[in-house]
Amino acid sequence: MTEVRPDGQYPNGQYDDKSLGELVAIATGSVSRLVKSEIELAKLELKGDAKKAALGGTLFAVAGVIGGVVVILLSIAAAYGLVAAGIWQWAAFLIVAGFYVLLAAVLILIGLWRMKKMSGAKRSRQSVMEDFAMLRRNSGSDDEKPALTE
């Protein structure tokens, strides 16, 4: 079995003459240092992950802006394509804008439909209500007050 040396102050074999209280103090100190070291390691790892997440988020934001610019350019190209097909310029741009209005309306309807399906944590709410009901119940005697009242 490997012997734990708290600060190098107890070389091999010198734990034998320690009292139970001293051994408990040594063990407590060792566990405390171990926990502190683990917390420090976790902080260092999370700090690195936070930097990576920040960089990734920034890259996603830049990609989103570029994607928005591409959509605008493609919309203009589609409108001019309709103009080349013989549609008046104002009508071509209105057709492209109308397409985006329809797309937005469909996305809104889908979003509303999905939100109506949300349960609102029914089981958690039911469990909390049951807990309150249990606390409010009288324990059987008429002179005792319930544990919880509204």
Side-chain angles (χ1 to χ4, degrees), residues 45-126:
E45 287 177 341
L46 290 175
K47 189 175 183 181
D49 287 347
K51 286 180 182 178
K52 291 175 185 173
L55 178 61
T58 302
L59 293 175
F60 279 131
V62 170
V65 169
I66 291 172
V69 171
V70 167
V71 167
I72 292 170
L73 292 173
L74 289 175
S75 300
I76 293 170
Y80 279 119
L82 291 173
V83 169
I87 298 176
W88 294 313
Q89 190 171 2
W90 61 269
F93 280 91
L94 280 178
I95 290 170
V96 172
F99 168 77
Y100 284 114
V101 168
L102 288 174
L103 179 63
V106 168
L107 292 175
I108 288 172
L109 290 174
I110 292 172
L112 288 173
W113 175 66
R114 296 286 299 198
M115 289 181 76
K116 285 182 181 180
K117 286 186 159 191
M118 291 177 20
S119 66
K122 288 179 183 178
R123 288 186 292 185
S124 297
R125 191 173 26 216
Q126 179 65 29

Side-chain angles (χ1 to χ4, degrees), residues 23-34:
L23 291 174
V24 169
I26 292 170
T28 303
S30 296
V31 169
S32 176
R33 278 190 302 282
L34 177 64

